[in-house]
Amino acid sequence: MLDANLKTQLQGYLTRITMPIELVASLDDSAKSQEMQGLLQDIAALSDKIEVTKGDDARKPSFRISRVGSEIGASFAGLPMGHEFNSLVLALLQVGGHPSKEAPEIIEQVKALEGDFRFETYFSLSCQNCPDVVQALNLMSALNPRIQHVAIDGALFQEEVEQRKVMAVPSIYLNGEPFGQGRMGLEQILAKLDTGAVARAAEALKHKAPFDVLVVGGGPAGGAAAVYAARKGIRTGVAADRFGGQVLDTMAIENFISVPHTEGPKMVTALEQHVKEYDVDIMNLQKAVELIPASGPSGLIGIRLESGAVLQSKTVILSTGARWRPMNVPGEDEYRNKGVAYCPHCDGPLFKGKRVAVIGGGNSGVEAAIDLAGLVAHVTLIEFDVSLRADAVLQTKLSSLKNVSIITSGQTTEVHGDGAKVNGLSYKDRKTGEAHRIELEGVFVQIGLVANTEWLKGVVALSPRGEIEIDQRGQTSVPGVFAAGDATTTPYKQIVIAMGEGAKAALSAFDHLIRMAPAELETAA
């Protein structure tokens, strides 16, 4: 099952196991069960602290990693390969007693949770968002015996997925009831379980000393701004709703100069590690809701957070990024995650053998259609313009696929469903005005981005598209407030450009600080 190189690497990791574990396998006569048995036997052969035993779980094939003599363990229903192989390795180590690198206060918070928590997570092997959830819940189950977790490959357990109407991954259930969908880290999960955590965090934030530079947003622009500001030796903070931003949802990155290929989550991990090398106060899961311009003798700019806490700083860099642009048609919100999806890599495997539409004929839309064509029965690509806008090489590939239909000059007008899931889509032919309806089970929206700037209206000058207006130095209309990245009027929304703009904004903020009058600096200090 595992090749020689992978076995050698895995054997090195497994030397860190300090407590014996069992791989309790529940198998049947299927080919997947045979693959699982081979995988588990390969793993057990690499460590004298691991053995394979027989189980009888209702889900087959599945296995539980169990710490001998305790209730500690984590389970997988399906083969945890692809993006989930790292989840398997971490689960083996953590159940086997290897300590986590999470902050001590987070670990203690998990251990202190009271109650019984039985988590189930549906994932797909091509989903880059799923490992964060799987790894967080596996760690929790390795720390607290009253927490149980099973990660389920939705593509392998289709009947179960249909019964629970799971149409987006990751989908998390707690004690049989829906708990959450989409990427969630350990801190986010804890915040939902430990309701007092938000209030405690808000109280702690209220007492933070003012920053020299406060970066709002933790994507490529925000990360670069934090590094450049911290290197100047000034007090730097980052308040981010989700560190990493939209890059976390990006599958393949092949245009970041000097790095031929990487994936979004991998890049975010490296970015966060780089920021943490400096004295930067990272405040994750903190959503900004109001910018308070400097006024009065303090000369400090305020950022009010959703929790109610207000952070203060001499300068602010806004790098709040963007999110997927919705179609804003009837049925879209109603059937979001019930057939309406925005990540073909994550959710595509759940539509195996079904009919789907892709909305948007740019690079992202055409790439999505190409990927989905290898999984689903049929793809209908609908583009509003008179022709596709994707690169020629992508259009050529798309046209060669027999199970793809291309509709141009098509305006999507409504998403239809039966109350539980999508069953159709209506569009208007913009040339003839004729209305059409397509019967299908999924709609993947790929029509660009919208800036996360609603909270800045009336305070900072915004373009008609809602982007923050900046000059060549990244300065906004508010003194001391700079901006960078996809939330701004800077053209070409690319990671490499966002990083450069973040660095420029930080240098501009530092220049602003050193040019402040001495009296202003003393007052703001």
Side-chain angles (χ1 to χ4, degrees):
M1 182 67 188
L2 301 177
D3 62 37
N5 288 334
L6 198 53
K7 285 181 180 179
T8 300
Q9 294 176 32
L10 183 56
Q11 188 171 30
Y13 284 118
L14 296 182
T15 59
R16 303 174 187 178
I17 291 177
T18 60
M19 301 177 184
I21 59 177
E22 292 178 329
L23 306 180
V24 186
S26 298
L27 308 173
D28 52 23
D29 296 328
S30 66
K32 285 295 181 183
S33 283
Q34 293 178 16
E35 286 185 53
M36 181 174 287
Q37 185 174 29
L39 171 65
L40 300 182
Q41 288 174 342
D42 281 352
I43 293 172
L46 300 175
S47 171
D48 59 4
K49 288 185 170 63
I50 303 176
E51 66 173 328
V52 180
T53 61
K54 186 176 180 181
D56 192 28
D57 190 87
R59 292 189 181 98
K60 295 181 176 65
S62 68
F63 67 96
R64 176 174 171 78
I65 305 170
S66 181
R67 183 180 297 172
V68 175
S70 79
E71 297 298 318
I72 294 294
S75 300
F76 290 91
L79 284 165
M81 303 302 287
H83 288 292
E84 293 300 342
F85 187 72
N86 284 344
S87 301
L88 168 61
V89 175
L90 284 172
L92 289 166
L93 296 180
Q94 290 161 355
V95 175
H98 185 66
S100 168
K101 294 181 180 179
E102 286 290 340
E105 60 270 21
I106 295 294
I107 292 174
E108 289 307 312
Q109 190 179 353
V110 174
K111 291 180 177 180
L113 286 173
E114 296 183 356
D116 295 310
F117 304 93
R118 182 173 57 84
F119 284 101
E120 299 164 289
T121 301
Y122 291 90
F123 69 89
S124 70
L125 294 177
S126 58
C127 170
Q128 74 271 24
N129 293 325
C130 296
D132 273 11
V133 175
V134 172
Q135 290 169 22
L137 290 171
N138 280 349
L139 174 58
M140 292 176 69
S141 67
L143 293 172
N144 188 329
R146 299 184 69 178
I147 300 173
Q148 300 294 315
H149 178 232
V150 54
I152 306 161
D153 183 355
L156 190 59
F157 292 87
Q158 284 279 347
E159 185 175 335
E160 193 171 325
V161 163
E162 292 283 349
Q163 183 180 2
R164 277 185 159 169
K165 298 181 173 60
V166 175
M167 305 193 75
V169 291
S171 284
I172 312 165
Y173 284 75
L174 172 58
N175 297 335
E177 299 296 328
F179 176 78
Q181 283 186 321
R183 179 188 291 272
M184 295 178 72
L186 180 55
E187 291 178 85
Q188 289 172 288
I189 295 170
L190 277 174
K192 292 191 70 171
L193 296 175
D194 184 359
T195 54
V198 175
R200 292 195 301 272
E203 187 61 29
L205 290 174
K206 289 179 183 177
H207 300 290
K208 284 187 179 291
F211 295 94
D212 292 313
V213 174
L214 176 61
V215 181
V216 182
V227 168
Y228 266 72
R231 285 175 62 86
K232 294 296 184 181
I234 57 180
R235 178 165 161 73
T236 304
V238 176
D241 184 22
R242 183 179 66 150
F243 194 93
Q246 196 185 29
V247 177
L248 285 167
D249 305 323
T250 304
M251 184 66 174
I253 299 171
E254 298 176 339
N255 57 359
F256 190 74
I257 309 306
S258 83
V259 182
H261 176 85
T262 188
E263 295 178 350
K266 185 177 179 180
M267 175 175 278
V268 169
T269 298
L271 178 64
E272 187 171 12
Q273 289 173 346
H274 193 180
V275 173
K276 286 181 176 179
E277 287 183 4
Y278 298 93
D279 188 15
V280 176
D281 188 347
I282 300 177
M283 297 159 281
N284 200 16
L285 307 184
Q286 301 300 329
K287 184 177 181 179
V289 296
E290 183 184 2
L291 171 67
I292 307 169
S295 63
S298 74
L300 294 171
I301 303 163
I303 293 292
R304 189 181 305 279
L305 304 175
E306 193 172 49
S307 65
V310 176
L311 300 173
Q312 294 185 315
S313 183
K314 299 171 190 174
T315 62
V316 167
I317 298 174
L318 302 171
S319 57
T320 50
R323 62 189 184 276
W324 289 115
R325 183 180 298 278
M327 297 182 293
N328 292 321
V329 301
E332 180 180 16
D333 284 341
E334 181 182 355
Y335 292 103
R336 191 183 302 268
N337 295 325
K338 298 177 182 177
V340 175
Y342 299 83
C343 180
H345 303 294
C346 301
D347 301 331
L350 299 177
F351 293 85
K352 185 177 181 179
K354 298 179 180 179
R355 302 161 296 178
V356 304
V358 172
I359 312 302
N363 280 352
S364 60
V366 172
E367 287 173 351
I370 291 170
D371 288 345
L372 289 166
L375 294 168
V376 304
H378 189 269
V379 179
T380 302
L381 186 144
I382 302 176
E383 163 58 33
F384 183 85
D385 209 344
V386 295
S387 61
L388 301 184
R389 295 169 285 107
D391 294 343
V393 64
L394 295 175
Q395 292 192 44
T396 300
K397 174 64 176 177
L398 184 70
S399 299
S400 71
L401 302 175
K402 295 182 179 180
N403 63 334
V404 175
S405 300
I406 302 171
I407 297 170
T408 55
S409 298
Q411 180 181 352
T412 303
T413 55
E414 186 173 358
V415 176
H416 304 285
D418 60 7
K421 58 184 179 180
V422 167
N423 61 19
L425 176 145
S426 290
Y427 74 94
K428 181 178 74 174
D429 187 321
R430 295 177 55 240
K431 291 180 180 178
T432 65
E434 187 177 356
H436 300 271
R437 173 168 172 151
I438 307 172
E439 302 301 316
L440 44 71
E441 290 76 40
V443 179
F444 289 84
V445 184
Q446 302 281 291
I447 55 174
L449 305 171
V450 57
N452 296 317
T453 57
E454 292 85 353
W455 63 289
L456 295 168
K457 288 181 179 178
V459 181
V460 175
L462 303 177
S463 73
R465 294 172 59 88
E467 298 170 330
I468 303 169
E469 293 184 349
I470 57 173
D471 64 15
Q472 70 274 17
R473 297 175 62 254
Q475 173 70 57
T476 72
S477 61
V478 178
V481 178
F482 302 83
D486 288 1
T488 73
T489 49
T490 296
Y492 313 120
K493 312 304 185 185
Q494 299 291 314
I495 293 171
V496 68
I497 292 174
M499 285 186 170
E501 291 290 304
K504 181 172 69 176
L507 294 173
S508 296
F510 179 71
D511 185 64
H512 177 86
L513 286 170
I514 63 176
R515 292 175 187 276
M516 290 175 69
E520 290 179 289
L521 286 170
E522 289 175 8
T523 303

